[in-house]
Amino acid sequence: MASTAGQVIRCKAAVAWEAGKPLVIEEVEVAPPQKLEVRIKILFTSLCHTDIYFWEAKGQNPVFPRIFGHEAGGIVESVGEGVTDLAPGDHVLPVFTGECKECAHCKSEESNMCDLLRINTDRGVMLNDGKSRFSINGKPILHFVGTSTFSEYTVIHVGCVAKINPLAPLDKVCVLSCGISTGLGSTLNVAKPKKGSTVAVFGLGAVGLAAAEGARIAGASRIIGVDLNPNRFESAKKFGLTEFINPKDHNKPVQEVIVEMTNGGVDRSIECTGHVDAMISAFECVHDGWGVAVLVGVPHKDAVFKTNPLNLLSERTLKGSFFGNYKPRTDLPSVVEKYMNKELELEKFITHEVPFAEINKAFDLMLKGEGLRCIIRM
């Protein structure tokens, strides 16, 4: 790889030229990394719902042309000035949020919300100089959440790159760079269920199933899945779910159903849908005195959370979680090790695989609600 260091690399990337239109495989030029940047050869990437959300651009600023992708695994090709803890050949996971290690959040043991590198969905350029590292015939192509992994090579700020065990299979652990870690950490790091406890998980997509996986690892005795799609239950059993509730099957609020089923409420709940009604249900279904509800899903910008304050005064706790409270550079390597020592099972999250040329198939699968994660082989 040393032969390409410092030079522009021409490679293939899947470019989104406009909202909701199929991606186009184009030859792009990828500039060398600048100060505190790393250029990475992406080997495997996966499609996450966040990519779809901003590609559709139904409720957000349409930032195009753009290279999406943020769940991936790759190998460092070259590093820019000032990068000391990564070197060419290192195996890495790029992450949509970062860890500068210098701000108040990074120095806090409790937070992973880095001031400098927190997710910014509108910014399509690099922090260093406000420019894109991608271009086609001199025309800039914009970045997405600082990662843009739907490209054979990408340039990322060093604070958004986690160095991992080189023996870990990148086609499996790439899913840890977003959704699976988000769900897993929301349970293990934020809800923290005790062995033998009861847990409710709202929304059984990949993130919700990862939250259930966290409850399974923690030793929960009952894991209750709540979803409007009954087709998801059978496959959810392998993530530790013991029971399933479809709110449409009941003529009263689902929180009341759960409270009755569990003699007063669950010990912990994790909400992974982003719908405010589910968030309220997740909070109101936990037991008074010790129940903890964790919100993971991203709500509509105008959503309002309403509940009676007595629900809090009777010693229920409501928490929020961002990327499972994992600090990307510090914590992700240990999540990879959980997989390597067979504590965490990733294969069951990976339901499809396509070559890079067929990336639009991955979009079709997700839009139809088929499968959990589709790995795209670069």
Side-chain angles (χ1 to χ4, degrees):
M1 288 191 187
S3 61
T4 50
Q7 296 176 28
V8 171
I9 288 179
R10 287 174 177 273
C11 69
K12 288 191 172 67
V15 177
W17 288 102
E18 54 186 304
K21 294 286 169 68
L23 306 188
V24 183
I25 305 286
E26 306 274 13
E27 184 177 77
V28 298
E29 284 139 20
V30 186
Q34 305 296 311
K35 186 177 182 181
L36 296 181
E37 295 173 3
V38 186
R39 189 161 58 184
I40 297 168
K41 181 182 170 91
I42 299 293
L43 297 182
F44 299 94
T45 186
S46 165
L47 180 63
C48 165
H49 198 266
T50 307
D51 295 304
I52 297 264
Y53 185 71
F54 286 93
W55 166 74
E56 289 182 320
K58 286 176 180 169
Q60 324 80 29
N61 293 333
V63 182
F64 295 93
R66 193 172 215 181
I67 296 171
F68 284 102
H70 64 282
E71 224 178 60
I75 297 175
V76 174
E77 173 268 341
S78 61
V79 302
E81 178 195 337
V83 176
T84 54
D85 53 353
L86 287 171
D90 284 345
H91 286 221
V92 293
L93 300 180
V95 186
F96 65 90
T97 183
E99 182 185 354
C100 72
K101 299 198 174 181
E102 289 168 13
C103 70
H105 283 276
C106 286
K107 287 180 175 172
S108 158
E109 288 182 9
E110 296 176 37
S111 176
N112 66 338
M113 305 274 292
C114 175
D115 281 328
L116 179 70
L117 299 168
R118 193 176 300 189
I119 185 171
N120 182 328
T121 54
D122 289 343
R123 189 177 61 229
V125 293
M126 298 302 287
L127 283 174
N128 187 41
D129 58 1
K131 292 179 180 172
S132 171
R133 300 287 172 262
F134 299 110
S135 61
I136 296 178
N137 299 324
K139 176 185 167 61
I141 306 294
L142 299 168
H143 295 248
F144 176 64
V145 296
T147 51
S148 291
T149 61
F150 294 165
S151 175
E152 291 174 329
Y153 287 86
T154 188
V155 177
I156 302 177
H157 190 287
V158 66
C160 298
V161 181
K163 180 181 174 180
I164 62 162
N165 183 341
L167 299 177
L170 289 170
D171 61 336
K172 306 291 189 294
V173 297
C174 64
V175 297
L176 290 173
S177 66
C178 178
I180 310 309
S181 295
T182 295
L184 185 74
S186 67
T187 303
L188 295 178
N189 300 336
V190 188
K192 298 179 180 172
K194 296 184 171 74
K195 195 170 180 11
S197 60
T198 54
V199 178
V201 177
F202 287 72
L204 301 179
V207 175
L209 291 173
E213 178 82 349
R216 181 190 70 77
I217 291 170
S221 62
R222 291 175 78 181
I223 306 173
I224 301 164
V226 182
D227 202 290
L228 296 169
N229 181 355
N231 298 332
R232 288 179 155 177
F233 185 44
E234 196 52 45
S235 58
K237 288 178 181 172
K238 57 183 182 228
F239 297 87
L241 274 105
T242 57
E243 294 146 89
F244 180 75
I245 301 172
N246 182 344
K248 290 192 285 198
D249 294 343
H250 301 272
N251 55 9
K252 56 185 167 188
V254 71
Q255 54 267 47
E256 292 179 20
V257 177
I258 293 171
V259 166
E260 284 174 15
M261 280 171 65
T262 55
N263 195 22
V266 289
D267 302 310
R268 300 290 186 266
S269 72
I270 299 106
E271 188 288 322
C272 304
T273 72
H275 292 288
V276 74
D277 292 341
M279 294 179 175
I280 294 165
S281 298
F283 176 55
E284 294 182 354
C285 80
V286 299
H287 206 290
D288 59 3
W290 62 79
V292 178
V294 179
L295 305 186
V296 181
V298 180
H300 188 276
K301 64 182 190 320
D302 300 323
V304 177
F305 185 101
K306 290 182 181 176
T307 192
N308 190 313
L310 285 171
N311 289 322
L312 286 157
L313 293 172
S314 52
E315 300 184 357
R316 292 176 182 86
T317 301
L318 180 64
K319 289 183 160 189
S321 173
F322 173 71
F323 191 52
N325 201 231
Y326 287 119
K327 292 181 189 277
R329 296 159 87 181
T330 301
D331 298 332
L332 272 193
S334 64
V335 184
V336 170
E337 292 311 311
K338 274 191 200 301
Y339 168 73
M340 294 299 280
N341 63 29
K342 298 189 166 48
E343 191 183 343
L344 166 64
E345 299 164 11
L346 292 179
E347 282 81 1
K348 59 194 179 187
F349 289 97
I350 298 164
T351 51
H352 297 85
E353 199 173 301
V354 296
F356 189 34
E358 295 172 22
I359 188 168
N360 288 305
K361 262 193 193 168
F363 277 70
D364 292 340
L365 286 165
M366 188 164 275
L367 288 167
K368 287 178 190 160
E370 290 178 21
L372 294 172
R373 279 295 183 265
C374 178
I375 301 297
I376 299 152
R377 292 191 310 276
M378 306 301 279

